[in-house]
Amino acid sequence: MIAINNDNDRSVPDSRMGRLRAREQQKQQKKASNKHKKTPKAGGTSGSQSPTAIKPHNKNKKSNSKKWLWIVGILVVVIVAIFFIVRRTNNASAKDNAEKIVQTSFNNDRDNITNQATSAQMIELEADAKKIQDNTAANQYSQLASLGKSAISFRERVSDLRSGNNYRTSTTGDKVSSLLQDLKDTTFKSDFSGFYNEYNKLLTNLQPKAAAVSKLHKETNKLFKNGKSGSLHSSVTSSKLNDLLDSLDKYPNFEQASKDLTRVETAVKTYRKDQDSASSSAASSAASQSASMASSQSASAALASSQASSQSASTAHSQSTSAASASSQAAASSSRASNSTASSSENSSSSKNSSSQSSASSKHESSSSSSKSSSSHSN
């Protein structure tokens, strides 16, 4: 077969069938090129059309798109690498930080918390557990964080029972029993055995003491007329008060017991003070009665003394009168004797002697009567 270059080339003789076949081939090539919109490749068969030239801007687009594909691919690889590196680094850092928290907040057996454990540390431990890739380690740390948060919350509730070294007024037997029941309702007994054993022992020992203090508080209130303060009931006996004081004195580290002890002691002092004042008033009334009796007796004694003195004075007056009459009689006799003789003078001298004796006797009698009156006054 002779190849035909184009339709107008008639320099080369050919048969009619050859030309028809060549034309048919050209039509098919045009249809194929129009259908796929492709330019014919260079080096086609003889007689086909010359290939269409590629424009320069199309070549630049293709080269630029290839470059961007490479850049995007490199960026994706870099991002993925950075992601894995950061994830690996975060995993190692989270694991190290979680282990530090565990060593600080838990004991060696990891069945109890330490005094340094806080809620903030448990939240941080829980966040670190989510970053750890190892599922076993992540689950272990997550469980410890959950147990730690619950244990710290319960520990704070128990700590609220105390104020320093003493138990608060709100620490009643019912409250301690409620805490003990809450402890038994948790999973601490199986999952956190050390913590459970510690607080179960503490609350079990505390419960009967708190219940006894609550009972004594009720008994103390019953002593008073208005329930809490004021005066004591008349039926309260000293033995009952002493027994209550001895019982309250056994719980010095309970604020409620200390307050009740102070209340009862103050009430007892007031009660004794009232009794003492009543006794003193009774003694005072008795003393006033005895004093009135003594004053009446002294008045009667004074009256008797005055009567005795008046009697002695009248007696002395009568005696002095008789003495004066005797002395007058003696003077008269002496005047009569002055006119007589020596014998009469002797008689007058003897009468003078007798008058002087009588006057002395009268003076003695008056002095004795005065001494009697004075003695009667003194009596």
Side-chain angles (χ1 to χ4, degrees):
M1 179 185 293
I2 299 173
I4 299 173
N5 293 330
N6 52 41
D7 295 338
N8 298 324
D9 188 7
R10 297 180 180 179
S11 61
V12 182
D14 197 359
S15 63
R16 186 177 178 86
M17 294 298 295
R19 288 196 299 270
L20 293 172
R21 192 179 298 114
R23 289 175 183 174
E24 188 67 26
Q25 290 178 355
Q26 288 178 359
K27 288 179 181 181
Q28 291 179 358
Q29 288 177 359
K30 287 180 179 181
K31 289 180 179 180
S33 62
N34 292 331
K35 185 176 181 181
H36 298 286
K37 293 182 180 180
K38 292 182 180 179
T39 56
K41 295 181 181 181
T45 56
S46 59
S48 63
Q49 293 182 349
S50 60
T52 305
I54 300 173
K55 295 180 180 180
H57 66 276
N58 291 332
K59 290 181 179 180
N60 292 333
K61 287 181 180 181
K62 288 183 179 181
S63 61
N64 289 336
S65 63
K66 289 181 180 180
K67 288 179 180 179
W68 281 110
L69 286 173
W70 278 103
I71 291 171
V72 171
I74 292 170
L75 288 174
V76 170
V77 172
V78 170
I79 291 171
V80 172
I82 292 173
F83 173 76
F84 280 105
I85 292 172
V86 170
R87 186 179 179 185
R88 186 182 182 90
T89 304
N90 289 339
N91 176 67
S93 177
K95 193 170 184 178
D96 292 340
N97 189 48
E99 190 61 30
K100 289 179 181 178
I101 293 174
V102 168
Q103 290 178 358
T104 303
S105 304
F106 297 87
N107 63 346
N108 294 331
D109 296 332
R110 297 185 180 183
D111 64 347
N112 201 348
I113 57 175
T114 61
N115 294 330
Q116 290 76 25
T118 62
S119 298
Q121 288 177 335
M122 297 302 105
I123 293 172
E124 187 177 358
L125 178 61
E126 189 175 21
D128 290 333
K130 295 178 181 179
K131 299 176 184 178
I132 298 174
Q133 296 179 1
D134 186 1
N135 291 333
T136 302
N139 291 333
Q140 184 180 7
Y141 291 132
S142 179
Q143 185 180 13
L144 284 174
S146 178
L147 290 171
K149 285 195 294 185
S150 300
I152 291 171
S153 177
F154 188 83
R155 183 180 66 183
E156 291 175 351
R157 291 174 61 191
V158 176
S159 298
D160 288 340
L161 297 176
R162 301 177 69 95
S163 176
N165 294 327
N166 297 327
Y167 287 100
R168 299 179 187 271
T169 307
S170 58
T171 304
T172 60
D174 293 339
K175 189 170 184 179
V176 177
S177 299
S178 178
L179 283 171
L180 189 59
Q181 186 60 43
D182 291 344
L183 178 66
K184 294 179 179 180
D185 292 340
T186 62
T187 61
F188 291 151
K189 188 173 184 180
S190 57
D191 297 336
F192 219 40
S193 58
F195 181 85
Y196 176 85
N197 293 333
E198 176 184 352
Y199 281 87
N200 181 56
K201 182 179 179 181
L202 188 150
L203 294 174
T204 301
N205 293 333
L206 178 62
Q207 198 277 333
K209 297 178 182 178
V213 170
S214 298
K215 183 179 179 180
L216 290 173
H217 178 62
K218 293 179 180 179
E219 292 180 0
T220 302
N221 290 338
K222 292 179 180 179
L223 297 177
F224 300 92
K225 291 181 178 179
N226 62 354
K228 290 187 178 180
S229 60
S231 59
L232 296 171
H233 285 290
S234 58
S235 59
V236 177
T237 61
S238 59
S239 61
K240 186 175 182 180
L241 287 173
N242 291 331
D243 292 341
L244 184 61
L245 288 172
D246 292 340
S247 299
L248 290 171
D249 200 33
K250 295 178 182 179
Y251 306 99
N253 58 336
F254 281 82
E255 291 183 355
Q256 187 61 66
S258 299
K259 290 181 179 179
D260 290 338
L261 182 65
T262 303
R263 275 201 302 154
V264 175
E265 287 177 345
T266 304
V268 169
K269 289 179 181 178
T270 305
Y271 178 74
R272 289 176 179 173
K273 186 177 180 180
D274 293 340
Q275 282 186 336
D276 292 340
S277 63
S279 300
S280 63
S281 64
S284 176
S285 63
S288 63
Q289 289 178 357
S290 62
S292 62
M293 291 175 65
S295 63
S296 62
Q297 290 176 356
S298 64
S300 61
L303 180 60
S305 175
S306 62
Q307 290 175 355
S309 63
S310 60
Q311 290 177 358
S312 62
S314 60
T315 305
H317 179 70
S318 61
Q319 288 178 355
S320 62
T321 305
S322 61
S325 61
S327 62
S328 61
Q329 289 176 1
S333 63
S334 63
S335 64
R336 286 193 301 268
S338 62
N339 296 319
S340 64
T341 56
S343 60
S344 62
S345 63
E346 290 178 357
N347 294 326
S348 65
S349 61
S350 61
S351 65
K352 287 181 180 177
N353 290 330
S354 62
S355 64
S356 63
Q357 289 177 357
S358 62
S359 63
S361 63
S362 64
K363 288 181 180 178
H364 177 71
E365 290 175 354
S366 64
S367 64
S368 62
S369 64
S370 65
S371 63
K372 288 179 180 180
S373 65
S374 64
S375 63
S376 64
H377 280 294
S378 64
N379 291 329

